[in-house]
């Protein structure tokens, strides 16, 4: 039966449709939902100002029997406008949208919405790009059931706090190496990142010193 859903939404993608409509891919706590926003490209549309990229909106979606819902109401709650003024942050934020658009094609969860919302907020507030990207990638892997192994090395032995490690791409795990760049502090911080909100990471003493290796690790793993 047709139903109306009221929820929060972040636009992942906008596509022009017909003379004045748009097809929107929205990420919501209920998952990814595709909707049509009728007349949104008209000058006096009440929906237009609420469905900007890099914003969070309160929306009402009418869902009938088809796969495409109808956006009937939208009110902007938060616009991360600072992202738009910095090209590097804009590129990273756009990459987040693309990754989540692809990742949630089959399965999505409320955690995907929280992941994107926190990441956009962090970029908007001027947090370290390395920190935001590393946190995003590590947690995206966790949400998708492919969490980075921070317990055992490639041989199945528990990670030793007195040992050093390198990332083994073939085995997708840490390999012991006396000259390796990854030690107990990096491992501990990586565990912290996948267990806590993004903003909490800024409270960790000297976290900037731990980021270079974790950023590289998260990119290799993802």
């Amino acid at each position: 039966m047709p139903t109306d859903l009221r929820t929060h939404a972040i636009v992942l993608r906008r596509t022009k449709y017909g003379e004045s409509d748009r097809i929107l891919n929205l990420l919501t706590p209920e998952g990814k939902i595709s909707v049509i926003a009728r007349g949104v490209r008209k000058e006096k549309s009440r929906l237009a100002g609420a469905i900007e990229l890099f914003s969070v909106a309160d929306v009402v979606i009418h869902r009938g029997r088809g796969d495409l819902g109808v956006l009937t109401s939208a009110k902007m709650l938060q616009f991360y406008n600072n992202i738009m003024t910095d090209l590097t942050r804009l590129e990273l934020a756009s990459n987040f949208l693309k990754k989540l658009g692809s990742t949630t094609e089959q399965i999505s969860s409320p955690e995907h919405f929280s992941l994107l919302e926190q990441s956009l907020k962090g970029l908007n507030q001027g947090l370290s790009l390395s920190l935001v990207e590393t946190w995003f990638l590590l947690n995206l892997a966790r949400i998708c059931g492919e969490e980075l192994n921070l317990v055992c090395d490639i041989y199945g032995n528990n990670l030793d706090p007195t040992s050093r490690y390198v990332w083994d791409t073939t085995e997708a795990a840490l390999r012991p190496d006396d000259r390796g760049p990854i030690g107990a502090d990096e491992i501990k911080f990586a565990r912290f990142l996948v267990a806590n909100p993004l903003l909490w990471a800024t409270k960790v003493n000297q976290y900037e010193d731990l980021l270079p290796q974790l950023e590289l690790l998260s990119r290799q793993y993802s």
Side-chain angles (χ1 to χ4, degrees), residues 47-74:
L47 299 175
I51 55 172
E52 296 293 333
L53 294 175
F54 314 122
S55 67
V56 180
D58 181 89
V59 301
V60 177
I61 300 168
H62 181 74
R63 298 194 291 188
R65 296 181 178 179
D67 294 332
L68 195 63
V70 179
L71 185 67
T72 60
S73 173

Side-chain angles (χ1 to χ4, degrees), residues 57-103:
D58 181 89
V59 301
V60 177
I61 300 168
H62 181 74
R63 298 194 291 188
R65 296 181 178 179
D67 294 332
L68 195 63
V70 179
L71 185 67
T72 60
S73 173
K75 178 181 179 181
M76 183 180 290
L77 301 176
Q78 181 68 54
F79 181 38
Y80 301 118
N81 58 297
N82 290 337
I83 293 175
M84 309 292 288
T85 64
D86 185 308
L87 180 58
T88 305
R89 292 180 184 276
L90 178 60
E91 290 178 346
L92 185 56
S94 298
N95 189 43
F96 290 166
L97 299 187
K98 292 177 182 178
K99 279 186 174 293
L100 282 171
S102 175
T103 301

Side-chain angles (χ1 to χ4, degrees), residues 131 135 184-211 214:
L131 175 61
W135 182 86
D185 290 340
E186 286 81 7
I187 293 171
K188 183 178 179 180
F189 188 48
R191 290 170 176 166
F192 181 90
L193 290 178
V194 296
N196 293 284
L198 172 59
L199 289 178
W200 288 20
T202 61
K203 307 299 182 182
V204 176
N205 291 333
Q206 299 180 320
Y207 75 87
E208 298 93 341
D209 297 335
L210 305 174
L211 275 175
L214 291 187

Side-chain angles (χ1 to χ4, degrees), residues 165-177:
Y165 297 89
V166 295
W167 177 251
D168 190 308
T169 304
T170 302
E171 299 294 334
L174 294 170
R175 174 168 51 83
D177 188 312

